[in-house]
């Protein structure tokens, strides 16, 4: 097995590796020294720090040169004089003493900017002069020796204590510096510089120096062969590590404005991908139509490109009140406005600084002020501390500040680099142009666009809610996905599986009076008549939708029937052909599956083409936020308004019914309020009182005077209104609904309606189709649905349902409104509930009032009740009238007469 303790000495074999590493190290240190001298020529400050650092590098270079010369003499060029070798070694020891003292002064000066040496430093300076002077004296005047044994005893003893002296000089300085860093008393940039300098150069150097002097302290006994005398292994390793640390640490420190040589931080922690990201930002800026959108784009830009928390980036646009701000932001705005007013002028030093730099970065300002102590930097730093910010970026427009971006304190841990600074300025330049363009555009157009966007957002939100409600209704039945199979043969229904019995919990053959029995027989009748598949969607007793579908068979009088809860396609395909616009199938779905649709179907239960399209228009109107103009029969207005109010989820419905033209501007004051010029009283407006929770219905809009119409048109157009006869502008989200019974063009021609108000009302007009123009079949279907709503007990529907003749009579009376149409149906149904003498029918007494179970059973069984002597005897004892029994069972009177004779039941005269 290979022992790495044998390999390592071979890798770092004696003088070879050490010579190479020393040459590389001295080149690196000499290169850094040249760079420092070049930087020093460009600046008039920091000369003392520069001198200290150059002394440190000179000492390091001389130490490396001494090692290079020593190894070269003993292993490569023995002819080199011993006197030259010993001279260079003594000079390197002299500068070693100077190096550590200079390093200590450099660290103290860079952290405290001290200009004078304190008492301890002066004592150490005297010691350094004596020690360094002694070794320099030996190097220059006592070099005539031929071996190391001839060197003075004091020189050898001094070499023993120089290492200890170095630790005594530098360790307290390092300790107090780290303590200062921990207290955060230094600029952040300087703290980062010192951490790199101490953690990667100074402290590792001290450890390695001590290790080279006493290697056995740090190594286990089995590592001792690596550091045996004469092989220089530990020295080679330490030299390589220090060369690497010095080069890369110096590179990072230079990027951090080391000694304030550079104007900005150059080190970048992230790749430069600004161009790719900024393309997306430019696209977003090009689509902006409102100043409030810029805040979101600004936060997104800083979060994505600079890894700054979005909630710590704030854009403030001066003279803009669109965004409400909290108390903390108000404080920041007040302090910033004071700073802008007082200092950001072309003649002030801070104004010149800001116009030159175009951005205030606290870390860089603090670092520069730490060395240069300029008053304008102090003012800027105090301002940033006052508003608790790291960065302040003004947005200029022709030397005027139109806005500013503030990045809060500690928005991120990394420093902001020069590249990132340029990115911010490019973004702010584009942002300033966008703000200028938006402000120069027509304000009215912007307000209209803003209102339309809000309305579009609202309708999308409502549509999403309706869609969710539709899906939820299907999810509720998806867990009950059953398909019942029923066979119809020889005029009888036979259940084919358990699911059919669960979906149809009654006997179709016996309970002919059940509401669903009629639908089963209708489906069978149509299948056998047309020899094609037929289906119908109805509701069961629980109110759930149910599909009854029939399929023809090759055998005569045989039909296969399936029963199941409907899917989305079942609901849509049933009526999609009736839609004027097939793309509105989603509204058809909402109409059939959501609570909003149920309200509309309750008001208008018909399902013909004209009524269906009107119901969809009504649903769209109710879901929207625009102001609708209702044009329909007067008695249908209030139920329609209530539907719009309920679907809009408003809390208060306020009705303004105008019968005569407005007088004394009372409606204007009621709607828009009134500010007393004498400040004695103030009338709160309805739009202000019910700003978000009310629907305000104005009936007969043409009776408003023209001045009130002008105020109303402004509100409908912009979303805000002016107080009547006042300057106050108030925003309101209350819903306005208007109606009229007259033609719009006629009202405009007569001067009763302003064209500007008409333009707003025409954006959403809801016109009810005339009942006179509806097809007869559609009216028949509507009459059946209203009759079903009117009959409270479904088992009475066979008894009280309208026949075709009665429907035609109702239609011939030319009802003008749904309300009138429904009232006439109720009148006919009420008449059928009374006997010939005009008294209340016995049927109604026993079935509807007393809820007689035997009568209910007879009604459910229909004609099959004729075969039961007990039921027939009970019916005879109850009604004493064969006509009423026939009406109840839905059969001919002759059938009842035959059964009565069979059961010895005779009719009273």
């Amino acid at each position: 097995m290979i022992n790495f303790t044998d390999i390592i000495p071979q890798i770092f074999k004696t003088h070879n590796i050490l010579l190479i590493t020393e040459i590389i190290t001295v080149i690196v240190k000499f290169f850094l020294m040249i760079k420092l001298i070049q930087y020093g020529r460009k600046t008039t400050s920091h000369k003392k720090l520069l001198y200290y650092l150059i002394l440190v590098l000179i000492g390091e270079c001389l130490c490396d040169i001494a090692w290079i010369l020593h190894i070269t003499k003993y292993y490569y060029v023995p002819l080199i004089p011993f006197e030259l070798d010993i001279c260079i070694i003594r000079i390197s020891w002299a500068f070693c003493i100077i190096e550590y003292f200079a390093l200590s002064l450099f660290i103290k000066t860079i952290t405290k900017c001290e200009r004078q040496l304190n008492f301890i430093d002066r004592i150490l300076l005297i010691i350094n002069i004596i020690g360094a002077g002694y070794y320099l004296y030996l190097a220059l005047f006592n070099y005539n020796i031929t071996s190391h044994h001839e060197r003075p005893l004091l020189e050898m003893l001094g070499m023993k204590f120089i290492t200890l002296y170095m630790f005594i000089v530098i360790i307290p300085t390092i300790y107090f510096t780290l303590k200062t860093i921990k207290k955060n008393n230094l600029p952040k940039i300087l703290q980062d510089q010192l951490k790199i300098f101490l953690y990667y150069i100074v402290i590792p150097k001290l450890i390695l120096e001590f290790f080279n002097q006493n290697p056995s302290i740090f190594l286990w006994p089995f590592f001792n062969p690596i550091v045996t005398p004469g092989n220089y292994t530990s020295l080679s390793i330490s030299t390589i590590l220090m060369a690497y640390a010095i080069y890369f640490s110096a590179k990072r420190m230079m990027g951090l404005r080391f000694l304030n040589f550079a104007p900005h931080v150059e080190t970048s922690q992230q790749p430069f991908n600004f161009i790719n990201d900024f393309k997306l930002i430019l696209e977003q800026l090009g689509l902006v139509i409102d100043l409030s959108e810029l805040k979101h784009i600004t936060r997104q830009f800083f979060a994505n490109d600079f890894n700054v928390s979005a909630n710590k980036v704030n854009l403030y646009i001066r003279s803009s009140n669109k965004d409400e701000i909290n108390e903390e932001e108000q404080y920041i705005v007040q302090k910033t406005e004071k700073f802008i007013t007082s200092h950001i002028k072309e003649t002030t030093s801070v104004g010149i600084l800001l116009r030159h730099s175009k951005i205030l970065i606290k870390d860089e300002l603090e670092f520069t002020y730490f060395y240069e102590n300029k008053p304008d930097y102090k003012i800027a730093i105090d301002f940033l501390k006052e508003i608790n910010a790291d960065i302040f970026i003004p947005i200029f427009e022709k030397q005027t500040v139109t806005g500013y971006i503030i990045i809060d304190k500690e928005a991120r841990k990394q420093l902001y680099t020069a590249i990132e600074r340029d990115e911010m300025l490019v973004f702010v330049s584009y942002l300033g142009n966008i703000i200028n363009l938006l402000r120069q555009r027509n304000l009215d157009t912007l307000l209209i666009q803003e209102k339309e966007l809000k309305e579009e957002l609202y309708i999308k939100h409502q549509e999403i809610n309706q869609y969710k409600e539709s899906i939820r209704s299907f999810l509720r039945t998806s867990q009950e996905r059953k398909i019942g199979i029923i066979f119809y043969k020889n005029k009888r229904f036979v259940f084919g599986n358990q699911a059919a019995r669960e979906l149809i919990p009654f006997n179709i053959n016996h309970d002919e009076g059940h509401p669903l029995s009629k639908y089963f027989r209708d489906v069978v009748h149509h299948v056998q008549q047309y020899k094609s598949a037929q289906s119908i969607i109805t509701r069961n007793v629980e109110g759930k939708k149910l599909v009854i579908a029939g399929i023809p068979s090759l055998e005569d009088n045989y039909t296969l029937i399936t029963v199941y809860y409907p899917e989305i396609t079942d609901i849509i395909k049933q009526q999609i052909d009736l839609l004027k616009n097939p793309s509105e199938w989603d509204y058809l779905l909402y109409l059939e599956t959501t609570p909003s649709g149920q309200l509309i179907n309750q008001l208008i239960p018909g399902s013909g083409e004209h009524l269906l399209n009107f119901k969809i228009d009504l649903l769209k109107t109710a879901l929207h936020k625009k102001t609708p103009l209702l044009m329909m029969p007067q008695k249908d207005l209030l139920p329609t308004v209530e539907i719009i109010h309920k679907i809009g989820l408003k809390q208060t419905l306020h009705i303004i019914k105008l019968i005569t033209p407005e007088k004394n501007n009372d409606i204007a004051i009621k709607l828009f309020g009134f500010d007393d010029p004498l400040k004695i009283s103030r009338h709160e407006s309805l739009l202000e009182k019910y700003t978000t929770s009310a629907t305000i219905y104005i009936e007969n809009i043409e009776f408003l005077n023209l001045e009130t119409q002008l105020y109303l048109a402004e509100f409908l157009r912009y979303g805000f209104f002016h107080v009547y006869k006042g300057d106050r502008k108030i925003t309101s989200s209350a819903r306005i609904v208007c109606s009229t019974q007259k033609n719009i063009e006629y009202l405009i021609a007569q001067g009763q309606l302003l064209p500007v108000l008409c333009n707003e009302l025409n954006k959403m007009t809801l016109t009810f189709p005339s009942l006179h123009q509806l097809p007869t079949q559609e009216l028949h279907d509507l009459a059946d649905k209203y009759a079903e709503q009117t009959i409270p007990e479904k088992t009475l529907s066979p008894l009280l349902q309208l026949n075709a003749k009665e429907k035609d009579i109702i239609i011939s009376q030319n009802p003008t409104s749904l309300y009138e149409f429904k009232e006439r149906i109720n009148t006919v149904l009420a008449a059928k509930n009374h006997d010939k003498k005009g008294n209340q029918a016995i049927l109604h007494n026993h079935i509807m009032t007393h809820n007689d179970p035997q009568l209910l059973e007879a009604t459910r069984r229909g004609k099959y009740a004729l075969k039961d002597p007990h039921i027939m005897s009970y019916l005879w004892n109850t009604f004493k009238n064969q006509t009423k029994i026939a009406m109840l069972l839905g059969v001919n009177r002759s059938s009842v007469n035959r059964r009565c004779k069979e059961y010895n039941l005779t009719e009273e005269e």
Side-chain angles (χ1 to χ4, degrees):
M1 180 177 292
I2 299 176
N3 191 343
F4 81 99
T5 58
D6 297 331
I7 296 177
I8 292 179
Q10 296 299 322
I11 296 176
F12 298 96
K13 187 176 180 181
T14 59
H15 52 277
N16 297 322
I17 294 299
L18 181 60
L19 178 62
I20 295 173
T21 55
E22 291 291 352
I23 292 173
I24 295 174
T25 302
V26 76
I27 292 173
V28 171
K29 295 174 182 176
F30 186 76
F31 172 78
L32 292 177
M33 186 166 58
I34 297 300
K35 283 291 184 181
L36 287 176
I37 294 173
Q38 290 177 351
Y39 279 123
R41 290 178 179 178
K42 299 178 183 179
T43 181
T44 57
S45 59
H46 320 304
K47 292 293 185 181
K48 184 182 292 187
L49 288 170
L50 190 62
Y51 295 152
Y52 290 152
L53 199 56
I54 290 175
L55 284 175
V56 172
L57 289 175
I58 290 174
E60 287 288 322
C61 289
L62 286 174
C63 181
D64 294 332
I65 292 171
W67 274 108
I68 293 171
L69 183 63
H70 182 74
I71 294 172
T72 303
K73 171 180 170 52
Y74 283 96
Y75 294 100
Y76 299 101
V77 188
L79 296 178
I80 295 177
F82 177 78
E83 292 82 358
L84 179 61
D85 181 31
I86 199 67
C87 177
I88 298 300
I89 290 174
R90 287 172 172 174
I91 292 174
S92 69
W93 278 104
F95 273 90
C96 185
I97 300 172
I98 297 172
E99 173 190 346
Y100 276 87
F101 182 65
L103 182 60
S104 175
L105 292 177
F106 173 80
I107 297 173
K108 290 180 181 179
T109 306
I110 199 174
T111 55
K112 298 182 180 179
C113 287
E114 294 180 352
R115 305 298 180 186
Q116 302 294 331
L117 298 179
N118 57 31
F119 177 73
I120 297 177
D121 290 335
R122 290 175 183 178
I123 293 177
L124 292 175
L125 177 61
I126 294 172
I127 295 174
N128 274 268
I129 292 173
I130 293 172
Y134 173 71
Y135 279 96
L136 288 175
Y137 169 79
L138 293 177
L140 298 176
F141 301 105
N142 188 18
Y143 54 84
N144 293 323
I145 56 177
T146 59
S147 68
H148 291 287
H149 299 289
E150 298 179 12
R151 297 169 69 177
L153 178 62
L154 183 61
E155 177 187 0
M156 304 305 292
L157 291 174
M159 293 171 60
K160 296 288 186 181
F161 291 99
I162 284 178
T163 304
L164 179 61
Y165 168 76
M166 292 188 298
F167 281 92
I168 294 174
V169 170
I170 197 67
I171 286 179
T173 303
I174 295 174
Y175 171 75
F176 288 111
T177 302
L178 294 175
K179 193 173 181 180
T180 304
I181 293 174
K182 189 175 181 180
K183 292 180 180 179
N184 289 325
N185 293 331
L186 300 175
K188 187 176 180 180
I189 297 176
L190 182 57
Q191 289 184 31
D192 289 352
Q193 290 179 4
L194 286 172
K195 288 178 181 178
I196 294 172
F197 188 67
L198 294 177
Y199 293 151
Y200 296 102
I201 297 179
V202 178
I203 295 177
K205 177 177 175 57
L206 292 177
I207 295 173
L208 291 173
E209 286 288 348
F210 188 74
F211 172 73
N212 288 330
Q213 296 295 326
N214 305 278
S216 60
I217 295 177
F218 295 94
L219 296 177
W220 295 99
F222 57 87
F223 283 136
N224 287 340
I226 301 176
V227 292
T228 55
N231 64 10
Y232 307 116
T233 302
S234 63
L235 185 60
S236 299
I237 296 174
S238 64
T239 305
I240 292 173
L241 293 176
M242 283 308 302
Y244 177 84
I246 289 173
Y247 176 76
F248 286 98
S249 298
K251 185 178 180 181
R252 288 186 62 187
M253 290 174 64
M254 288 298 180
L256 292 173
R257 298 183 59 189
F258 185 61
L259 296 183
N260 210 13
F261 290 148
H264 306 290
V265 175
E266 302 292 341
T267 302
S268 179
Q269 303 294 335
Q270 298 178 350
F272 184 71
N273 56 359
F274 173 70
I275 297 299
N276 294 331
D277 295 340
F278 198 62
K279 291 178 182 178
L280 301 176
I281 296 297
L282 284 179
E283 292 179 2
Q284 295 180 11
L285 289 175
L287 298 175
V288 169
I289 61 173
D290 188 81
L291 292 173
S292 60
E293 298 178 37
L294 296 177
K295 186 172 185 179
H296 172 72
I297 295 176
T298 302
R299 287 183 168 179
Q300 180 183 355
F301 171 72
F302 278 86
N304 294 341
D305 282 59
F306 307 116
N307 195 26
V308 174
S309 178
N311 59 359
K312 292 195 174 184
V313 179
N314 295 289
L315 169 65
Y316 299 95
I317 300 175
R318 304 181 73 191
S319 303
S320 175
N321 299 322
K322 288 190 178 239
D323 293 330
E324 296 184 359
I325 56 178
N326 54 38
E327 294 182 0
E328 182 180 355
E329 290 178 328
Q330 288 178 355
Y331 171 81
I332 292 174
V333 170
Q334 291 174 0
K335 294 297 181 181
T336 306
E337 292 296 329
K338 181 179 178 181
F339 175 76
I340 293 174
T341 304
S342 304
H343 299 289
I344 304 185
K345 299 178 182 178
E346 296 183 22
T347 56
T348 62
S349 58
V350 178
I352 296 172
L353 169 66
L354 194 54
R355 281 171 172 79
H356 179 263
S357 63
K358 299 180 181 179
I359 184 173
L360 298 180
I361 302 177
K362 189 177 73 170
D363 293 332
E364 294 197 351
L365 292 173
E366 289 179 338
F367 185 74
T368 304
Y369 179 73
F370 185 79
Y371 290 107
E372 300 181 5
N373 201 22
K374 294 181 179 180
D376 51 342
Y377 283 74
K378 175 63 175 174
I379 295 173
I381 292 170
D382 291 341
F383 163 67
L384 291 175
K385 289 182 177 178
E386 195 171 22
I387 63 174
N388 197 31
D390 277 345
I391 295 180
F392 173 79
I393 312 175
I395 304 172
F396 285 100
E397 173 61 30
K398 296 181 180 180
Q399 304 302 320
T400 302
V401 179
T402 59
Y404 42 87
I405 297 173
I406 296 177
I407 300 179
D408 295 344
K409 184 179 179 182
E410 298 180 355
R412 77 172 193 181
K413 296 181 179 179
Q414 296 87 2
L415 296 170
Y416 297 93
T417 67
I419 293 177
E420 292 175 328
R421 173 184 176 275
D422 294 339
E423 292 178 8
M424 295 179 190
L425 294 180
V426 170
F427 172 76
V428 168
S429 176
Y430 278 93
L431 190 63
N433 292 333
I434 296 298
I435 293 174
N436 185 41
L437 288 174
L438 289 176
R439 285 186 164 177
Q440 290 181 356
R441 287 174 60 184
N442 190 323
L443 182 59
D444 291 345
T445 303
L446 291 176
L447 292 173
I448 293 172
Q449 290 177 344
E450 180 183 6
K451 182 175 181 291
E452 289 177 349
L453 284 173
K454 289 181 179 179
E455 291 175 348
E456 185 68 21
L457 180 63
Y458 179 82
I459 186 62
K460 293 299 181 186
H461 177 72
Q462 289 285 71
E463 288 178 350
I464 290 172
N465 287 340
Q466 295 296 309
Y467 181 74
K468 289 180 179 178
E469 196 65 39
S470 297
I471 297 301
R472 195 176 294 117
S473 68
F474 287 105
L475 290 178
R476 282 194 289 265
T477 59
S478 64
Q479 298 178 354
E480 303 175 1
R481 182 60 60 199
K482 303 174 183 178
I483 299 179
I485 300 175
I486 301 175
F487 304 101
Y488 180 80
K489 189 174 183 181
N490 298 326
K491 298 183 179 182
R492 291 187 61 83
F493 293 92
V494 180
F495 289 98
N497 60 356
Q498 180 64 30
R501 293 189 177 276
E502 294 177 1
L503 292 171
I504 310 299
F506 64 93
N507 192 320
I508 305 175
N509 299 306
H510 292 170
D511 298 337
E512 291 187 349
H514 195 282
L516 289 180
S517 297
K518 177 180 178 298
Y519 292 112
F520 275 100
R521 297 188 181 279
D522 287 344
V523 169
V524 170
H525 174 72
H526 288 104
V527 169
Q528 294 181 351
Q529 181 179 1
Y530 301 111
K531 303 299 181 182
S532 63
Q534 302 289 329
S535 65
I536 187 172
I537 297 180
T538 182
R539 295 181 182 272
N540 59 17
V541 179
E542 299 174 355
K544 294 182 180 180
K545 285 184 176 292
L546 204 64
V547 177
I548 303 174
I551 304 173
S553 176
L554 296 177
E555 301 181 20
D556 293 336
N557 299 324
Y558 180 79
T559 304
L560 175 64
I561 301 173
T562 58
V563 184
Y564 55 90
Y565 293 119
E567 296 181 348
I568 295 178
T569 54
D570 296 318
I571 292 178
I572 294 177
K573 72 181 180 181
Q574 183 189 27
Q575 303 182 73
I576 194 169
D577 293 334
L578 302 178
L579 296 179
K580 292 180 180 179
N581 184 2
S583 64
E584 294 180 344
W585 64 267
D586 50 347
Y587 283 95
L588 175 60
L589 181 64
Y590 307 153
L591 194 65
E592 296 294 332
T593 58
T594 65
S596 301
Q598 292 175 9
L599 289 174
I600 295 176
N601 284 324
Q602 183 72 20
L603 176 67
I604 311 172
S607 57
E609 178 181 355
H610 298 82
L611 292 179
L612 176 63
N613 285 281
F614 174 77
K615 289 193 291 183
I616 289 178
D617 291 339
L618 176 56
L619 179 60
K620 291 169 65 176
T621 301
L623 294 177
H624 217 289
K625 206 173 183 178
K626 289 183 181 295
T627 296
L629 176 63
L630 306 182
M631 302 182 69
M632 56 181 60
Q634 186 172 5
K635 290 186 178 181
D636 293 337
L637 283 172
L638 187 56
T640 304
V641 172
E642 290 176 346
I643 289 289
I644 295 174
H645 172 69
K646 291 178 182 179
I647 295 177
L649 302 178
K650 300 295 185 180
Q651 298 176 1
T652 304
L653 175 59
H654 192 91
I655 300 174
I656 300 177
K657 186 172 184 179
L658 300 175
I659 302 176
T660 58
E662 177 186 4
K663 297 180 181 180
N664 302 323
N665 299 311
D666 54 339
I667 302 300
I669 296 174
K670 191 174 185 178
L671 278 174
F672 308 109
F674 176 73
D675 287 341
D676 191 346
L678 301 177
K679 307 298 181 182
I680 298 176
S681 62
R682 178 184 170 219
H683 299 272
E684 185 180 24
S685 67
L686 287 175
L687 292 174
E688 185 178 4
K689 181 179 180 181
Y690 304 115
T691 179
T692 59
S693 61
T695 300
I696 300 175
Y697 168 48
I698 305 175
E699 186 175 345
N700 298 322
I701 189 71
E702 69 273 12
F703 287 146
L704 292 177
N705 65 37
L706 299 184
E707 188 177 12
T708 305
Q709 291 183 28
L710 191 62
Y711 274 85
L712 181 60
E714 179 190 37
F715 172 69
L716 299 184
R717 190 176 188 186
Y718 300 116
F720 64 81
F721 64 92
H722 283 88
V723 176
Y724 183 67
K725 300 297 183 182
D727 297 328
R728 287 193 305 122
K729 185 173 68 174
I730 301 173
T731 302
S732 176
S733 298
R735 181 85 184 271
I736 299 288
V737 179
C738 304
S739 71
T740 182
Q741 300 294 314
K742 299 180 181 179
N743 183 271
I744 294 292
E745 287 74 15
Y746 172 80
L747 293 174
I748 294 176
Q750 294 296 317
Q752 295 180 307
L753 194 64
L754 287 178
V756 64
L757 178 59
C758 178
N759 291 335
E760 297 302 319
L761 295 177
N762 280 337
K763 293 179 180 178
M764 183 167 284
T765 301
L766 187 64
T767 303
F768 183 76
S770 173
L771 292 179
H772 302 161
Q773 299 175 357
L774 292 182
T776 302
Q777 182 59 39
E778 196 164 340
L779 289 174
H780 279 199
D781 177 67
L782 181 63
D784 288 335
K785 297 295 177 60
Y786 274 138
E788 290 180 6
Q789 290 182 359
T790 304
I791 302 172
E793 177 57 55
K794 297 299 182 183
T795 56
L796 293 178
S797 58
L799 181 65
L800 301 179
Q801 64 185 359
L802 298 174
N803 54 42
K805 183 178 180 180
E806 291 169 334
K807 296 175 189 175
D808 291 336
I809 293 174
I810 295 173
I811 295 172
S812 64
Q813 294 174 352
N814 295 324
T816 58
S817 65
L818 290 175
Y819 177 83
E820 185 179 350
F821 187 72
K822 188 175 181 179
E823 283 296 309
R824 293 185 179 181
I825 292 173
N826 293 340
T827 301
V828 173
L829 293 176
K832 295 184 72 172
N833 277 324
H834 288 75
D835 58 9
K836 296 179 180 180
K837 296 180 180 180
N839 297 321
Q840 189 178 23
I842 299 175
L843 293 174
H844 184 271
N845 286 333
H846 286 278
I847 301 177
M848 295 184 64
T849 306
H850 300 287
N851 199 18
D852 194 316
Q854 296 195 46
L855 290 180
L856 292 175
E857 177 65 19
T859 306
R860 282 194 294 268
R861 297 184 64 177
K863 66 180 182 179
Y864 293 98
L866 294 173
K867 299 178 181 180
D868 192 328
H870 299 287
I871 293 179
M872 289 300 297
S873 177
Y874 182 80
L875 293 177
W876 177 255
N877 293 331
T878 302
F879 297 111
K880 302 294 185 181
N881 189 303
Q882 293 182 3
T883 302
K884 293 178 181 178
I885 296 174
M887 187 182 299
L888 177 65
L889 300 181
V891 296
N892 295 328
R893 185 180 181 281
S894 58
S895 300
V896 176
N897 185 36
R898 286 196 303 270
R899 293 296 179 180
C900 287
K901 291 180 179 179
E902 181 180 349
Y903 303 140
N904 296 321
L905 303 174
T906 57
E907 183 176 2
E908 284 186 353
E909 296 296 334

